[in-house]
Amino acid sequence: MLCARILSIALLLTYSGAAQEVTRHVHVVRASGEATVTAKPDRAEVTIGVATQAPTAEAAAAQNGAQSDPLLEAIRHVLGKAGEVRTAGYSIFPIYQNLKNGSPQKVIGYTAKNSVLVIIDDLPLVGKILDASTRTGANEISNISFRDRKSTRL
């Protein structure tokens, strides 16, 4: 019986050693890669806006509307059916004067901002739209980007 127990213990030790040997010889394959995809852009997007300041919020909004209307008309005229114009943002906020002697801030006027996202599908029109925008009152132009309309083909 003692001999059987010793034989069982010896077999268990041999088996656990063999299991450790198997895990030491596991094969691993690792791969990594990098790619660059390029495409010729066929669409441009640009944010164009008007910012105006006046003593009251109502006056700032009225001035902004008066300056924005001809701007939007000019953009739509140059753009035609080669894109679209979407509202990107509109805001009115106070302008504060900071007083140095610890007095509370004082409202000295208001700023009104109106911006549109112009999506241009005829790239030669980009410069013409920017020129027409600045001629007709745009004083904020930002976030110009060029992209591929069908990015799924990349």
Side-chain angles (χ1 to χ4, degrees), residues 15 41 59 64 79 112 116 132 135 145 150:
Y15 177 73
N64 194 280
L79 186 61
V116 293
R135 271 195 313 272
S145 63
K150 296 182 179 158

Side-chain angles (χ1 to χ4, degrees), residues 50-145:
V50 172
T52 54
Q53 294 182 343
T56 66
E58 184 179 355
Q63 287 177 13
N64 194 280
Q67 197 169 332
S68 294
D69 288 343
L71 167 66
L72 292 172
E73 186 177 315
I75 291 171
R76 288 186 177 112
H77 175 74
V78 174
L79 186 61
K81 295 184 183 208
E84 60 183 289
V85 179
R86 298 179 186 166
T87 299
Y90 184 85
S91 62
I92 300 175
F93 51 90
I95 304 166
Y96 294 99
Q97 177 183 26
N98 292 323
L99 302 174
K100 296 186 183 209
N101 61 3
S103 299
Q105 292 182 326
K106 179 181 174 185
V107 174
I108 59 170
Y110 290 84
T111 298
K113 289 187 173 194
N114 182 13
S115 59
V116 293
L117 174 65
V118 182
I119 301 167
I120 307 158
D121 292 332
D122 185 3
L123 294 184
L125 294 179
V126 173
K128 293 175 184 177
I129 288 171
L130 296 178
D131 290 342
S133 297
T134 55
R135 271 195 313 272
T136 56
N139 52 19
E140 294 187 345
I141 297 176
S142 62
N143 302 325
I144 190 163
S145 63

